[in-house]
Amino acid sequence: MKGLIIYVKENNFNAVKQILIDNQVGGITYFDIMGQGPLDREATERIVQGYKTGEKYTPEFARRTRIETIVDDTKASAIIAAIKSDNNIHGKIFTFDITESHDL
């Protein structure tokens, strides 16, 4: 079994979720997070007390989505290949081996 941790931009979540569904993944967990890294951060307009200032700034941290799932080894490579082949999805995928799991 393989664990996948996938970091993507917020607007890429539905595309990744659809890839996981297409590959018959049994379950996923996702988190809305803030992070810093090599992905682009878009400049946004600063708003002060409800008024637009016209001033643009780039936030130090950007919104991201973290998706976690556990899959069979054979599915892991198919999922990674499908995500990488979609040129609209940008982020990072971490994989790790699952040696044990326990149902409670």
Side-chain angles (χ1 to χ4, degrees), residues 5-24:
I5 299 175
I6 306 163
Y7 290 95
V8 294
K9 291 182 176 183
E10 282 182 311
N11 58 351
N12 293 150
F13 173 70
N14 286 329
V16 173
K17 181 181 75 169
Q18 190 58 51
I19 290 170
L20 296 174
I21 289 169
D22 292 346
N23 283 278
Q24 299 162 343

Side-chain angles (χ1 to χ4, degrees), residues 28-77:
I28 66 169
T29 301
Y30 79 94
F31 307 90
D32 290 325
I33 61 171
M34 299 288 285
Q36 207 177 33
L39 291 178
D40 295 331
R41 291 185 304 273
E42 298 167 8
T44 58
E45 185 172 2
R46 187 178 307 270
I47 298 176
V48 178
Q49 295 178 351
Y51 295 98
K52 294 182 179 182
T53 62
E55 177 186 344
K56 297 277 187 179
Y57 76 102
T58 303
E60 184 177 354
F61 293 92
R63 295 189 179 281
R64 299 286 181 252
T65 300
R66 175 183 168 139
I67 305 161
E68 297 180 3
T69 189
I70 310 292
V71 297
D72 293 327
D73 290 348
T74 55
K75 285 186 182 181
S77 22

